[in-house]
Amino acid sequence: MSFRKSLLLIGFILVVDQWSKIYIKTNFTYGEIVEVFSWFEINFIENPGAAWGAKLNDFLPISEGTAKLVLTVFRLFAIFGIGYWLFDIIRKKASSIYILSVSLIFAGALGNIIDSVFYGLIFDESTRTQVATLFADNPYGSMFHGKVVDMLHFPIIKDAVWPEWIPYFGGSTFSFFEPVFNIADTAISTGVGILIVFNKKAFGKDEGEKEDTDSFSEEHQSSLNE
């Protein structure tokens, strides 16, 4: 997979991700739910922290603002690290599956960091009675303090009940799948999933490069025999 194709993929994911977030943010009130199918709904929420809504200040004795700043700075360093990783494997002509996976991870990480860095500057607050405005006069935050917009929810099982015989959980209700996520999260999860499932192909050489190497070896061996 070439550098150009990788950039096109990253650009496409970023456009779809940011378009979906801006559309939801400027057309939905906070917590608004629209059922598309019985197993899929648009559910607008915002995540001020890390994965699953976790916050650093839940674990460390720091303010919520400081925790958000630390998390965003960490994400920025991670973006540079993933970007170098992607550049390096393209330069080394790694397998297309490997480059595809890292491209997806990079695009997803970059999509969410855009929210964290800029959304606090360009949107006002989303509430249960107010739809946010893009490029608002009174933004809800500052640079590095934006909230990540999530909207994709797949409640495949709703309000099911655990059997009574199951220890601790017996009799309580549960739903599957609870998390609400976005296009960027989907790209990251897909990239990681491909690396896990196709790890042998991912970390092997591309077929084209392998053929070139084999061809060079045969020619080199032939010249030695002569």
Side-chain angles (χ1 to χ4, degrees):
M1 187 175 186
S2 67
F3 184 69
R4 179 173 176 272
K5 289 180 179 179
S6 175
L7 282 181
L8 287 173
L9 175 62
I10 292 168
F12 174 76
I13 292 171
L14 285 177
V15 168
V16 175
D17 177 63
Q18 289 302 308
W19 175 85
S20 64
K21 289 172 177 175
I22 292 172
Y23 177 82
I24 293 296
K25 184 80 172 158
T26 55
N27 288 274
F28 281 59
T29 57
Y30 188 84
E32 183 177 350
I33 298 174
V34 174
E35 185 178 279
V36 181
F37 303 106
S38 60
W39 47 268
F40 170 58
E41 61 190 24
I42 304 298
N43 181 356
F44 171 37
I45 65 170
E46 292 180 298
N47 181 3
W52 319 116
K55 301 177 184 178
L56 286 178
N57 54 302
D58 292 336
F59 311 99
L60 300 174
I62 55 178
S63 68
E64 184 172 341
T66 301
K68 177 62 180 174
L69 178 61
V70 170
L71 179 62
T72 302
V73 171
F74 172 78
R75 283 173 168 168
L76 284 170
F77 277 106
I79 282 291
F80 282 108
I82 298 170
Y84 178 78
W85 179 20
L86 178 59
F87 171 79
D88 188 54
I89 61 175
I90 292 175
R91 180 175 58 84
K92 292 178 178 177
K93 301 185 184 301
S95 70
S96 293
I97 292 179
Y98 192 9
I99 296 172
L100 170 65
S101 301
V102 180
S103 297
L104 289 169
I105 294 170
F106 178 79
L110 185 56
N112 282 336
I113 199 66
I114 289 173
D115 299 28
S116 296
V117 173
F118 298 111
Y119 276 25
L121 286 174
I122 62 176
F123 287 107
D124 54 9
E125 195 72 56
S126 292
T127 69
R128 296 189 182 276
T129 58
Q130 171 184 291
V131 173
T133 303
L134 181 61
F135 302 120
D137 293 330
N138 297 299
Y140 71 78
S142 57
M143 184 171 283
F144 301 131
H145 289 85
K147 302 171 188 176
V148 177
V149 175
D150 293 323
M151 79 294 289
L152 304 178
H153 187 210
F154 291 83
I156 298 171
I157 300 175
K158 291 183 179 180
D159 300 323
V161 179
W162 289 104
E164 294 289 346
W165 53 267
I166 296 181
Y168 185 73
F169 295 106
S172 60
T173 60
F174 74 96
S175 298
F176 180 85
F177 177 71
E178 286 284 7
V180 181
F181 52 98
N182 56 44
I183 300 296
D185 297 329
T186 303
I188 294 172
S189 300
T190 302
V192 172
I194 291 173
L195 282 179
I196 293 172
V197 176
F198 300 102
N199 66 88
K200 288 185 178 179
K201 290 184 177 180
F203 295 105
K205 287 185 177 181
D206 227 352
E207 288 301 317
E209 184 191 358
K210 187 176 180 181
E211 290 175 5
D212 291 343
T213 302
D214 292 344
S215 176
F216 174 79
S217 298
E218 290 173 4
E219 291 176 3
H220 184 62
Q221 183 65 40
S222 177
S223 65
L224 288 176
N225 291 335
E226 291 176 359

